[in-house]
């Protein structure tokens, strides 16, 4: 049962998700890796939506140069750990959600066990190697996750249900490198918002997930594409020779 | 030869392989994760041997590494 306060707070969501959906969100547990540009948007929307338990992992500290895109942080929190700063913003947004702060970077050693404590993981981290590690760890743990990437005004998002849909290695083969440098805030906001929507859809069992396809868009040209993906039987992470 | 690259029409004076096209357009191998020609994935080891045809549609996909 939802409380009167919850009914009021989530009135606009209830008309879309129903009480059952809102309760599913309250039971939901989501881990967001990285409280950067993508994580900022994802975390704020997850907290606002009423996802019951939200964990945020980040070992970095808030710097002034982060503030043009990492909208969860504020100028009065420069130098603070990003996971702690993000937690304060989420608590202010919605005191009804439980927030877990993991003020450190995750690794291939720590992530599989950590991921198993959550229903869904969002990759809001930087760099090719880290993104592949997150995909591999979630596949190993059997935990659904959303992969996000940004650069400039471009963003891309896909969701993986381990063992059932392509992972990041299936999607990109053996990428020799990544496109990186800097990103403008709106691209992070789009990716983080899509990732939050994927988590909400997964937790409530509604809509169509971005599985078996990668959504990519360029806000500079307003071109977008849905790239079909297939599971790679030879995938070292999720293929026949992999762990799934 | 006229082909379409990410929705944009481009004309070249002679037929090109995927790799020759990449070299001509200075598309870096290590940045492009996937090249689709007419919706078919052309992996890196087939880029030198795949000859582009009149009217082909190329789509490039990059691994975006920021967040
Ligand atoms: Zn895979």
């Amino acid at each position: 049962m939802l409380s009167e306060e919850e009914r009021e707070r989530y009135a606009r969501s209830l008309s879309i998700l129903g009480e059952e959906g809102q309760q599913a969100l309250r039971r939901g547990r989501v881990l967001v890796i990285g409280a950067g540009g993508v994580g900022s948007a994802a975390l704020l929307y997850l907290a606002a939506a009423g996802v019951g338990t939200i964990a945020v992992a980040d070992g970095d500290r808030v710097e002034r140069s982060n503030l043009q895109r990492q909208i969860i942080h504020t100028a009065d929190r420069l130098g603070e750990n990003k996971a702690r700063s993000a937690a304060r913003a989420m608590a202010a947004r919605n005191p009804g959600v439980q927030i877990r702060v993991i003020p450190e970077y995750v690794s291939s050693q720590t992530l599989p066990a950590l991921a198993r404590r959550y229903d869904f993981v969002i990759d809001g981290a930087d760099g090719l190697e880290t993104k592949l590690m997150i995909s591999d760890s979630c596949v190993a743990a059997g935990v659904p996750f959303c992969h996000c990437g940004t650069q400039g005004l471009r963003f891309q998002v896909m969701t993986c249900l381990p063992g059932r849909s392509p992972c990041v290695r299936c999607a990109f083969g053996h990428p020799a490198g990544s496109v990186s440098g800097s990103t403008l805030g709106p691209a992070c906001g789009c990716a983080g918002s899509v990732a939050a929507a994927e988590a909400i859809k997964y937790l409530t069992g509604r809509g169509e997930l971005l599985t078996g396809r990668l959504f990519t868009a360029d806000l500079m040209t307003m071109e977008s594409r849905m790239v079909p993906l297939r599971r790679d039987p030879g995938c070292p992470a999720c293929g026949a020779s992999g762990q799934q | 030869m006229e082909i379409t690259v990410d929705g944009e029409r481009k004309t070249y004076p002679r037929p090109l392989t995927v790799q020759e096209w990449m070299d001509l357009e200075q598309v870096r191998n290590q940045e492009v994760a996937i090249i689709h020609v007419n919706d078919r994935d052309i992996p890196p080891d087939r880029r030198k041997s795949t000859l582009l045809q009149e009217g082909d549609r190329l789509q490039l996909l990059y691994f975006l590494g920021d967040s």
Side-chain angles (χ1 to χ4, degrees):
Chain A
M1 281 279 287
L2 297 176
S3 67
E4 272 313 303
E5 189 190 324
E6 285 174 312
R7 274 181 215 289
E8 185 182 351
R9 174 181 281 272
Y10 303 121
R12 299 297 185 274
S13 305
L14 286 169
S15 63
I16 300 163
L17 301 174
E19 181 146 345
E20 203 176 291
Q22 194 61 50
Q23 286 178 342
L25 287 186
R26 193 171 62 184
R27 288 191 301 273
R29 300 164 301 171
V30 177
L31 165 64
V32 178
I33 300 168
V38 170
S40 286
L43 288 162
L44 285 172
Y45 277 122
L46 293 172
V51 170
T53 303
I54 303 168
V56 49
D58 201 320
D60 202 4
R61 293 187 177 279
V62 179
E63 294 176 25
R64 188 169 282 112
S65 62
N66 301 146
L67 300 178
Q68 55 67 274
R69 69 194 183 286
Q70 301 182 13
I71 58 169
I72 205 165
H73 308 301
T74 48
D76 61 340
R77 297 207 285 269
L78 293 180
E80 188 169 329
N81 171 268
K82 284 186 182 178
R84 291 190 207 285
S85 166
R88 288 213 273 159
M90 286 189 283
R93 168 75 44 188
N94 189 349
V97 301
Q98 192 186 342
I99 296 157
R100 295 178 184 163
V101 174
I102 304 162
E104 56 200 48
Y105 296 111
V106 296
S107 70
S108 57
Q109 279 77 47
T110 60
L111 184 52
L114 178 66
R116 280 189 200 101
R117 289 191 239 146
Y118 297 91
D119 302 310
F120 196 87
V121 174
I122 292 175
D123 163 13
D126 280 335
L128 174 73
E129 293 306 323
T130 303
K131 289 179 174 301
L132 290 175
M133 181 277 288
I134 291 169
S135 176
D136 292 350
S137 297
C138 290
V139 166
V143 178
F145 67 98
C146 187
H147 160 85
C148 305
T150 64
Q151 193 275 327
L153 269 171
R154 292 181 287 181
F155 70 93
Q156 54 193 205
V157 185
M158 62 172 275
T159 292
C160 171
L161 303 179
R164 289 162 57 193
S165 71
C167 75
V168 175
R169 285 191 194 273
C170 289
F172 291 97
H174 303 281
S178 63
V179 185
S180 58
S182 38
T183 301
L184 287 177
C188 298
C190 287
S193 299
V194 173
E198 290 292 283
I200 289 169
K201 289 187 292 180
Y202 178 76
L203 294 172
T204 60
R206 280 157 200 271
E208 302 288 332
L209 293 170
L210 277 171
T211 49
R213 55 208 177 128
L214 178 133
F215 179 65
T216 179
D218 186 341
L219 298 177
M220 195 69 89
T221 59
M222 293 313 291
E223 296 283 336
S224 66
R225 247 193 314 156
M226 195 70 85
V227 181
L229 306 171
R230 277 188 296 272
R231 281 191 78 191
D232 174 7
C235 173
C238 77
S241 58
Q243 295 154 346
Q244 285 287 314
Chain B
M1 179 187 70
E2 187 177 281
I3 60 173
T4 308
V5 181
D6 284 342
E8 188 183 337
R9 282 186 189 171
K10 298 210 170 208
T11 305
Y12 300 91
R14 63 178 182 88
L16 300 166
T17 66
V18 171
Q19 188 61 56
E20 285 171 336
W21 173 82
M22 289 176 72
D23 294 342
L24 188 69
E25 294 289 352
Q26 298 182 312
V27 175
R28 294 169 64 201
N29 263 314
Q30 59 265 48
E31 284 192 348
V32 176
I34 302 175
I35 294 187
H36 282 135
V37 177
N38 303 329
D39 298 325
R40 291 185 61 179
D41 181 19
I42 308 297
D45 60 356
R46 281 182 33 218
R47 289 175 188 169
K48 277 185 181 155
S49 59
T50 302
L51 191 64
L52 293 169
Q53 311 281 333
E54 178 75 25
D56 276 353
R57 285 179 296 108
L58 265 73
Q59 289 188 305
L60 310 185
L61 189 68
Y62 299 85
F63 191 107
L64 304 183
D66 288 341
S67 66

